[in-house]
Amino acid sequence: MSPHGNPEVPASSAGDVESSAAKVPAGPAGPASADSGSTSSVSTSSTSPTPDRSVWPLWEVFVRSSRGLSHVHAGSLHAPDAAMALRNARDLYTRRNEGVSIWVVPADAIAASDPDAKGSFFESPQGKDYRHATYYTKSEGVKHL
Amino acid sequence: MTTPEQTEHTEETTGHGDISVGVAGSGDSSASATRITPGNALRPEDIALEVRTGLVKPSEDVAEYALRLGDDALILAQRLGHWISRAPELEEDVALGNIALDQLGHARSFLTYAGGAWEKSEDELAYFRREHEFRSAHLFEQPNGDFAVTIARQFVVSYYQFELYRRLTESTDATLAAIAAKAVKEVDYHRDHSAQWIIRLAQGTEVSREKMIHGLKLVWPYVAELFADDELTTRLADAGAAVEPSSLKADFDRLTGEILAEAELEVPETPAAPGGGRRGKHSEHLGYILAEMQVLAREHPGASW
């Protein structure tokens, strides 16, 4: 089973609720439990002596709508830890039968391309039509192409 | 109790069916993460149709029993709905709202079925009965309190309902079995939701732990009533249509005990409250809930919206 307690695992599993994320307090750690084995990569700044208690970290949600298709970004949400993020995602993004599988990823863990670097990053392939199969003419006598 | 016109309800029962017409049949080829389908499941409208066409008709006993289960779910749905826009986080707001809607769905199914015995619609039963005619147990009408109290109430309710519905799927009454089969999956998620929060609140901060302990202490006196047998449940259990509430207790104790142990909490040892909800004797809370829930329907009988 996934380390974060998969809500897709049916019924009976609630008896053995995954507790791997349970040690992460709802909200950033208090002084008594300043990190008791948090597995979450989104730690709310352990350097700060008085962490912001009011904010849950942000998670990005990916939903797979049926077998054979890939996960698609559906949106984001706040949750205290991965296990709750999965459940919140289930409640927020699969209320109308949208999914058969959910991924949640700490928003911090996603590295994004620089929106200002659009030119150097994405314009180079333009005009290079030889990178497309349609550029080439079919060789004579080749079957099944 | 000769209120809303039957025509009103006939129309209503067909109205919801349209949802499936709009989106059904779109193939699985769309990769959109927001593609929606109504899915296939038993709906209250299906039961209403069966009742109306005379396909099913509950016996007086079964109807009385369905009324109990329906009232439990209805009152809880009304209580939980109050959290909408008031939960600690937007995400939790939606979670509690979802659970409330699940419960409302179960209530509609049970009440629609129960109404078949007395030629009453779900709306007539929900909006035009008086306090002493409601058969819900006291736990369900207990105030929301703070978030921990609500979670404690959810914890007890969901573990109780899960054991109940799980067994009811084998009821000799086909409609009760079908409603339970739909409900048990939803209630299973309610169990998970409450268990996750029990563990987190208990092992979070000192304050959250204190509140969790307090919440459990507040709701525990109402546990005993859920598992009390009476003549009706015994009769129905003998016939195989229902289960004796007392037979659920061992599994309830074991499973809730496991979660509480994991959260390093103790099972509260509070004395049981007198109960009486199944006989129509309620605490002071139910009247206020009904006033709010019923006012619109009573002010404008037969109105649709």
Side-chain angles (χ1 to χ4, degrees), chain A residues 11 14-15 17 19 22-23 26 56 65 69 72 77-78 81 83-84 87-88 90-92 95-98, chain B residues 28 31 33 35-39 89 91 94-95 98 101 159 188-189 191-192 196-197 199-200 203 258 262:
Chain A
V17 168
S19 56
K23 303 286 192 243
W56 284 352
S65 61
L69 298 173
V72 175
L77 54 75
H78 293 94
D81 53 52
M84 292 311 293
R87 285 158 179 84
N88 289 346
R90 177 260 193 201
D91 285 337
L92 285 166
R95 299 184 72 230
R96 297 179 185 84
N97 266 334
E98 293 96 332
Chain B
D28 267 352
R35 187 178 64 88
I36 64 169
T37 62
E89 294 281 336
E91 284 78 0
V94 177
N98 268 347
L101 283 174
Y159 276 78
D188 192 23
Y189 183 74
R191 285 199 314 175
D192 178 68
Q196 294 288 335
W197 275 118
I199 291 167
R200 278 167 181 72
Q203 303 193 339
E258 282 173 11
E262 192 174 344

Side-chain angles (χ1 to χ4, degrees), chain B residues 205-283:
Chain B
T205 64
E206 233 168 83
V207 175
S208 73
R209 182 174 177 81
E210 237 165 62
K211 291 196 171 196
M212 194 65 254
I213 292 171
H214 178 67
L216 288 167
K217 210 179 276 177
L218 278 185
V219 304
W220 221 260
Y222 304 99
V223 170
E225 184 187 6
L226 300 175
F227 300 100
D229 301 334
D230 62 11
E231 284 175 22
L232 178 74
T233 55
T234 307
R235 255 198 325 270
L236 286 171
D238 287 345
V243 284
E244 288 221 276
S246 60
S247 68
L248 314 172
K249 189 70 164 55
D251 280 342
F252 173 88
D253 284 344
R254 182 174 54 81
L255 291 171
T256 52
E258 282 173 11
I259 300 295
L260 292 178
E262 192 174 344
E264 291 166 28
L265 293 171
E266 280 165 25
V267 180
E269 286 179 20
T270 45
R278 303 298 188 209
R279 301 189 307 277
K281 296 174 86 164
H282 294 282
S283 67

Side-chain angles (χ1 to χ4, degrees), chain B residues 71 75 79 130-137 140-142 277 280-293:
Chain B
D71 283 349
I75 298 305
R79 271 288 187 230
R130 288 154 62 200
E131 185 183 319
H132 68 273
E133 296 172 287
F134 274 78
R135 293 288 176 265
S136 49
F140 301 90
E141 65 204 49
Q142 292 310 304
K281 296 174 86 164
H282 294 282
S283 67
E284 70 273 25
H285 304 300
L286 187 64
Y288 293 101
I289 300 174
L290 294 184
E292 189 175 33
M293 186 179 80

Side-chain angles (χ1 to χ4, degrees), chain A:
Chain A
M1 195 200 270
S2 88
H4 295 121
N6 188 345
E8 283 188 336
V9 173
S12 38
S13 65
D16 50 65
V17 168
E18 282 292 334
S19 56
S20 56
K23 303 286 192 243
V24 185
S33 58
D35 194 341
S36 42
S38 162
T39 52
S40 168
S41 52
V42 195
S43 64
T44 30
S45 68
S46 51
T47 48
S48 161
T50 50
D52 185 359
R53 291 174 159 275
S54 62
V55 184
W56 284 352
L58 189 69
W59 302 76
E60 298 297 331
V61 179
F62 300 81
V63 174
R64 194 177 72 196
S65 61
S66 63
R67 310 216 168 271
L69 298 173
S70 49
H71 287 75
V72 175
H73 186 232
S76 53
L77 54 75
H78 293 94
D81 53 52
M84 292 311 293
L86 273 176
R87 285 158 179 84
N88 289 346
R90 177 260 193 201
D91 285 337
L92 285 166
Y93 294 108
T94 65
R95 299 184 72 230
R96 297 179 185 84
N97 266 334
E98 293 96 332
V100 295
S101 168
I102 299 173
W103 288 348
V104 290
V105 180
D108 291 5
I110 292 177
S113 58
D114 179 1
D116 294 332
K118 221 174 170 182
S120 59
F121 236 65
F122 298 116
E123 278 174 24
S124 152
Q126 288 177 11
K128 295 176 180 168
D129 44 0
Y130 51 83
R131 289 184 181 172
H132 296 261
T134 49
Y135 175 81
Y136 300 94
T137 50
K138 193 171 127 184
S139 305
E140 253 174 65
V142 179
K143 282 176 188 168
H144 313 302
L145 200 66

